[in-house]
Every structure is written in C-alpha cells, then in structure tokens.
Amino acid sequence: MSCSRPQPLIRASLKSLFTYRHPYHSSHQRIRALHTSRLRIRYSPHHVQLRSASTIAAAAASTPPAKDARSLLTRLKNLLLGTSIGLTVILGYYYVTDTRASVHEWLVIPCLRYFYPDAEDAHEFGNRALKVLYSFGLHPRERGLEDAKGDLAIEVFGHLLRNPIGTSAGIDKHCDVPDALLAAGPAVIEIGGVTPQPQEGNPKPRVWRIPSQKALINRYGLNSNGADHVAMRLRQRLREYAYHMGWGIDEEAEQRILDGEAGVPPGSLQQGALMAVQIAKNKFTADADIEMVKKDYVYCVDALARYADVVVVNVSSPNTPGLRGLQKGEPLTDILTAVVAAARKVKRKTPPKVMVKVSPDEDSESDVKGICDAVWDSGVDGVVVGNTTKRRPDPIPNGYLPTLEQRLLLEQGGYSGPQTFARTVALVKRYRKMLDNGAYPNNNNDSEHSPPRFTSIQSPLETPAATHPPITDADINASVARDKMHLKPPTPEAEA
C-alpha cells in the first residue's frame, strides 16, 4: 500500500517499532510494545494488516485441548440450564392454571386480602386480573379427571350438565368474565343482577369479610351498568363465537347460534353448562307502582333474555328497600306473568327458562305457599332458594370473635356463609314438597287443568318422564349427607 503522507496513527506505530530501547528494558517489554504497535496498525482507518495467514494458522494450531474441553462443558451447562428453565415454565404453567393448585388458596387469596383490605376492591381486582389472564390463556381452569362414570352429571331443563355446581349472581355483575368462570369448573354461572338503567348501588364501604366464620356481609344494593351495557357484551361474546365457528360476525350468524345450530346452549356456548342472567328493578322505581315495576323487568328481558339460557327474577335482595315486598302473592304473580310472557316472545327457536329467586327470610307457611301459588299461576319454570339473609348466626360467646368481627356482624346487609347451610336446605325441602304436591289454587280433579307433579329435583317445573320415581325425603337427606362428606376442612386462617 502506497501513501505519500502517512497518517499520524501509522507514523506513531512505525516510530514505536524503531525507537531506541534502553538496554535495561526487558525483552518482554519490547515484545509488548511491538504487539501494541501491531494492534494499532491492524485497527487503523486504513486497515493495515501486518500479521500473515501463516501466523494466524500457527496460533490456531497452538490452541490447547483444555480450552476446547471447557468450551464443550460450557455448552452442556447452557443446554442443561435452558432445558431446566423450559421445563420449569411448562410445569409451572400447568400447576398455576389448575383450579386445584394450593397456591390459589395459600398464596393468591392471602395476598389479595393483604393488599386489598376492602373486600369490594379485592373483588374488582380479582375480576380484572381474571379477565386479563383469560385473554392470554393463563386463567385457572378445571384440569381434573373427567367424571367417566357420570356420577356428577345432572339434568336441568333438558340439558345434561357436567356437575351440580353453580355460581350465584354478584360474582360477575357486569358480564366481565363469564367464560373464565365456566372454565373454572361450575356447570351453571349467573350474571348480574342487572337493572334496566345504570345505578351506583349503596354507598361504600358495602362489603365486609368475617374470616373466622368463612362468611361475608354485603349491601351492594344492585350496583349495575345497566341492561343495554350487559346486552352489548353478551352480543359481542356470541358473535365472536360465531366468527370462530366460521359463520361470520353479522346478525345472521348470531341468529344461527341462538337457534341452536352450533349444538350448544346459546347462553353458556358450551356443552354441559348453562348461563343464567339475573334481572331486577331499579332502586328509584316505586314499589307501589306495579305497572312500572313490571316494565323494569320486561325491559331487562327484552334486552338480555335472548343471550341467556335462564332468566332469574330477583325479588328478594335484602339491600334494595321494598324489593322483598314484591314477593307477596298478587304483585309477584303479576310480575312473573309479565316476565314469562316476554321471555316466550324472544326471537330464537327455544325461549329461555324463567326462575324466581326468593328470600330465605320469608319462610313462614303462608309466605312459602304464596310464592308457590304465584309460581303455578305465572308459569315460571323454577325457584332459586335463596338469596342472602338479614339474619345472623346464633349468638357466639363473648371473646370468641375478634372485636372487629363482632362489630362487623352488626352491619346492615345480606349475610352468607356456611352457618346458613342447614336452614337453606330445610327451606329447599319445604319448597320442593309443596311444589311436588301441586300447590295450585285451582287444583281439581280435571286433569286438563291440574298441574303436573314434580319428580326431577333438577328441573322442577318440567313435565316428568314416566320412568322417573318421585323424590323422597330420604333421597334429599342422602344427597345432603353426601355433600357434607365432601366439604373441605376449616382452614387455619378461619380457625385463627
């Protein structure tokens, strides 16, 4: 390479090569100086390369075998580390997304309670987190073995459900996570309660935990985003299902799903499950104006019923003043008759079933008979027993409960917890027996006008098959005893 005026870097390098060295400088220092000068020349802007190919080959040939061995060992270590990390992620995914994983009970729930002392805040965060996890496929789901023998299968309204477990309204008030709830394992979920117009509900705080009793007190007051908002979400969910079926995302595809062409219930959108939607009147609608109350319920039916498998009429919330007064015979009959008529006009091949949710506190003989009469007169398909209760557990000795929990038990609102189990089961028996006996005001010997007897505890108001034996008290007691055997033991947190 020729150059009339060498660059400063090259000149400096040449100078370092031929500079006079003091005799006392060691040869090692001279070699280092020479090596430095060569490095400078090699990385100069003109890429001057003084090392020959033979020098490079010789250096490569002189690489010791130990270095190759170390390189191979490093590769094996990296492979083992990468494989371990991959297996840990995969196994961790399957574990954490299993509803039976202990991490949910012993880590997730305590963390929620620690970071969100207010139960409503924890509830809202839990729903938001579940919604995000479901969108990424990281949500908890039922991973247990299938019920091969069908011991848990149960028939409800002509549908064979995978188990008798259901979630009540209040968990998913605004239809945020219906599919995530179904994935967790229950065969029935209930959306709502939904009111015609949006309403805030009662002032906060309005939800309290009673950990030692595994109980909850709430006075939400039917806070709702309104029927139109929930209907929009249900419609979007159904059309997305139709799109994934390859039918498009328009109204025609929606109608095909509603008419059952997909082979799944139009509410739950999956075999072996049902989705109910609970409806209620607005708080500001006067209870005495039955016509306006009926319009509230019918408005909800018109907006929501076509996307539901079951419509649940809530006339028993303890947190809406005057609502439970609608359970009286004549008002209840008028409301339920209007709801049933509206549900039968829904634009789809098979209309949704209608059920009424009753209070566990109205348990006198006249109260139960009046509700059963309204059920028969209106043509309702079933009864949900029951809502939360205004009552409190039997008196607990002083000092047994923490001071905070003793104070919280005095809060107004609906109480729910295992202490209500026995009383609720007893009330279910009473409703069951009275409905089985045909508690109908115009009951006579004319078979044309006599109501059918109930023989299926799963679908109480459907005409029974002739081969089904009647349900007896012994059958019900055996079912209750079996359920008690499978109850989980108390947790240390509850015993604290």
Side-chain angles (χ1 to χ4, degrees):
M1 177 177 177
S2 62
C3 183
S4 58
R5 296 185 60 186
Q7 295 295 323
L9 178 59
I10 297 177
R11 286 206 305 271
S13 299
L14 293 175
K15 182 179 178 181
S16 65
L17 285 172
F18 301 106
T19 301
Y20 170 76
R21 298 291 179 182
H22 193 277
Y24 294 105
H25 285 185
S26 67
S27 59
H28 174 73
Q29 290 173 321
R30 289 197 297 272
I31 291 172
R32 186 172 60 182
L34 178 61
H35 177 66
T36 305
S37 66
R38 285 178 177 174
L39 287 178
R40 289 176 181 173
I41 294 173
R42 187 165 62 251
Y43 291 102
S44 67
H46 295 277
H47 306 285
V48 178
Q49 179 59 266
L50 298 182
R51 298 177 65 185
S52 64
S54 60
T55 306
I56 297 174
S62 63
T63 303
K67 185 174 182 180
D68 291 338
R70 287 196 299 270
S71 177
L72 178 61
L73 183 61
T74 301
R75 292 194 192 99
L76 290 175
K77 286 182 178 179
N78 291 338
L79 176 62
L80 181 60
L81 179 61
T83 303
S84 301
I85 293 174
L87 287 175
T88 301
V89 170
I90 293 172
L91 294 177
Y93 165 78
Y94 276 96
Y95 174 74
V96 173
T97 57
D98 188 344
T99 55
R100 289 179 172 85
S102 300
V103 67
H104 302 301
E105 179 179 357
W106 300 106
L107 179 62
V108 176
I109 298 302
C111 285
L112 272 177
R113 291 178 175 177
Y114 177 80
F115 290 107
Y116 294 94
D118 183 85
E120 183 174 358
D121 291 341
H123 178 193
E124 292 176 352
F125 174 80
N127 278 7
R128 289 196 304 270
L130 195 57
K131 185 175 183 178
V132 173
L133 291 173
Y134 185 82
S135 66
F136 288 101
L138 300 175
H139 58 287
R141 68 205 71 186
E142 177 63 31
R143 291 194 185 277
L145 297 176
E146 294 184 0
D147 180 24
K149 295 183 179 180
D151 292 335
L152 296 179
I154 185 172
E155 186 179 350
V156 177
F157 298 137
H159 298 275
L160 187 64
L161 304 187
R162 54 185 177 238
N163 59 57
I165 307 301
T167 65
S168 64
I171 296 177
D172 189 11
K173 287 177 170 288
H174 314 305
C175 191
D176 292 315
V177 287
D179 295 308
L181 288 179
L182 284 169
V188 180
I189 63 170
E190 189 176 353
I191 304 300
V194 185
T195 57
Q197 304 300 323
Q199 64 180 26
E200 292 294 329
N202 292 321
K204 297 180 180 181
R206 51 193 180 185
V207 187
W208 299 271
R209 307 183 186 101
I210 314 293
S212 69
Q213 304 301 299
K214 303 180 186 177
L216 200 71
I217 295 175
N218 92 83
R219 59 164 181 258
Y220 273 115
L222 289 170
N223 55 309
S224 172
N225 289 339
D228 293 333
H229 177 88
V230 175
M232 177 185 66
R233 289 191 169 181
L234 289 171
R235 180 170 57 251
Q236 178 67 18
R237 171 176 174 264
L238 188 141
R239 291 195 177 190
E240 287 178 357
Y241 181 86
Y243 178 79
H244 290 302
M245 291 285 293
W247 294 351
I249 201 167
D250 55 5
E251 187 175 351
E252 181 180 353
E254 174 186 329
Q255 192 61 45
R256 292 180 65 183
I257 301 292
L258 292 174
D259 288 338
E261 293 186 30
V264 295
S268 67
L269 299 178
Q270 55 181 264
Q271 289 284 3
L274 295 176
M275 185 183 75
V277 176
Q278 184 188 113
I279 60 175
K281 77 174 189 69
N282 277 117
K283 187 176 182 178
F284 50 76
T285 302
D287 305 308
D289 191 345
I290 297 300
E291 289 304 315
M292 290 302 298
V293 172
K294 287 163 57 177
K295 287 182 179 179
D296 271 12
Y297 284 103
V298 170
Y299 185 93
C300 290
V301 172
D302 292 341
L304 300 165
R306 66 196 315 253
Y307 305 113
D309 300 314
V310 181
V311 175
V312 179
V313 182
N314 183 357
V315 290
S316 56
S317 170
N319 303 310
T320 301
L323 186 63
R324 289 191 170 183
L326 300 178
Q327 292 181 111
K328 304 301 180 183
E330 186 175 348
L332 182 60
T333 302
D334 290 345
I335 293 168
L336 296 181
T337 301
V339 170
V340 170
R344 289 175 179 171
K345 295 177 183 177
V346 168
K347 186 184 175 183
R348 77 183 203 199
K349 188 172 291 185
T350 304
K353 300 296 183 180
V354 177
M355 303 183 75
V356 57
K357 190 169 190 176
V358 299
S359 165
D361 298 331
E362 275 65 38
D363 56 355
S364 68
E365 195 68 19
S366 59
D367 289 335
V368 174
K369 185 178 185 305
I371 292 172
C372 290
D373 289 345
V375 166
W376 280 114
D377 287 342
S378 61
V380 165
D381 299 289
V383 180
V384 178
V385 184
N387 215 316
T388 54
T389 176
K390 287 185 176 181
R391 298 171 181 171
R392 296 296 180 262
D394 295 333
I396 299 175
N398 290 333
Y400 179 81
L401 289 179
T403 304
L404 176 62
E405 292 189 10
Q406 291 180 4
R407 180 178 62 81
L408 292 180
L409 280 174
L410 302 178
E411 291 285 354
Q412 294 293 322
Y415 182 94
S416 54
Q419 298 81 7
T420 65
F421 180 78
R423 189 168 66 234
T424 302
V425 171
L427 188 57
V428 169
K429 290 182 181 179
R430 293 175 57 193
Y431 272 100
R432 179 75 219 192
K433 185 174 292 187
M434 189 166 290
L435 290 171
D436 277 348
N437 291 334
Y440 189 74
N442 297 321
N443 194 13
N444 52 44
N445 295 327
D446 187 353
S447 61
E448 257 182 49
H449 298 89
S450 297
R453 285 180 53 82
F454 301 155
T455 58
S456 171
I457 197 169
Q458 290 81 34
S459 49
L461 297 182
E462 293 187 318
T463 302
T467 58
H468 289 185
I471 301 295
T472 64
D473 287 347
D475 296 328
I476 297 175
N477 290 331
S479 176
V480 172
R482 185 181 67 247
D483 291 340
K484 285 184 177 179
M485 290 176 58
H486 291 86
L487 288 176
K488 295 177 66 176
T491 61
E493 181 184 26
E495 299 292 341

